[in-house]
Amino acid sequence: MPILNKDMTLCISLSARPSNNGTRFHNYLYDALGLNWIYKAFAPTDLAQAIAGVRGLGIRGCAVSMPYKEDVIALVDRMDPSAAAIDSVNTIVNDSGVLTAYNTDYTAIAQLIARNGLDPAWSVLLRGSGGMAKATVAAFRDAGFTDVTIVARNEAAGRGLAELYGFTWAPELGERTADVLVNVTPIGMAGGPDAEALAFPEPAVDAARVVFDVVALPAETPLIKAGRAAGKTVISGAEVMTIQALEQFVLYTGMRPTDEQVHAAEEFMRAQ
């Protein structure tokens, strides 16, 4: 990493509970490609002031994590179709004070659905209704899935999301199960109140074909561990993080690293 200097380009992330994942991934690639850039994670106390800082300080890029993916919409100038289609933002690019919002979460989820050979005929049980849930539900819809149940205690958000994509809403998990289980809540997230909890009960894990957890920290959440122990196909939030971070990197820098460089950055990220 180059020594801090006045010409250095800054990118940041905004999250209620920041991790070092994006910081390590982006900074590794900046160094590998010889870029005079640096990436820093923040936990903002005032989102509007943070975004004003992005604009006013000339910060080139800003990743947006839970719970700011929807609230940030009112603070940007333009919405790329990737974000406008689902009213959720995870990436902001600053072009001379003009802030454009994107969503690379959708891209990551869509790639992982295809890469793991998930069958559109399978049923899906998805827990969550926030900004990341929007990206996830949209990716499953666009991949041809029709039997999707969204479980969310917030009826307005859960029912609204389900109706938007022609799916079903339920307020509680109950004894439901499905071929594909998807956790899009903070359950299992390191440092959170439910860090040790399972997002789905063990009987649901046992009955599933695929266990998918978008929580990226830790890489092995309780749900991923349970799915792996049960012999299921597992898709982790760490995988989602790598793909969406790569697409952010391309948006910020205009450069696409080689597969070997991305793999090395991913290994560096996970070695923390």
Side-chain angles (χ1 to χ4, degrees), residues 62-151:
C62 175
V64 182
S65 297
M66 293 186 291
Y68 307 119
K69 292 173 184 283
E70 296 165 310
D71 293 343
V72 78
I73 291 173
L75 305 174
V76 301
D77 302 305
R78 300 173 179 168
M79 291 281 283
D80 180 79
S82 63
I86 56 178
D87 288 324
S88 178
V89 172
N90 83 322
T91 305
I92 299 171
V93 177
N94 181 3
D95 292 299
S96 302
V98 177
L99 306 186
T100 303
Y102 299 81
N103 194 303
T104 65
D105 289 330
Y106 171 91
T107 303
I109 299 296
Q111 287 187 26
L112 288 167
I113 290 172
R115 183 183 301 173
N116 287 275
L118 274 58
D119 189 338
W122 291 348
S123 57
V124 178
L125 189 59
L126 182 144
R127 188 169 187 181
S129 60
M132 186 65 176
K134 287 182 177 180
T136 305
V137 170
F140 272 95
R141 189 276 312 273
D142 292 347
F145 287 79
T146 57
D147 184 0
V148 178
T149 300
I150 297 167
V151 179

Side-chain angles (χ1 to χ4, degrees), residues 22-44:
T23 301
R24 291 175 66 86
F25 184 87
H26 285 269
N27 283 323
Y28 181 93
L29 288 175
Y30 297 157
D31 184 62
L33 294 171
L35 298 176
N36 187 27
W37 290 47
I38 193 168
Y39 188 104
K40 175 74 170 65
F42 291 94

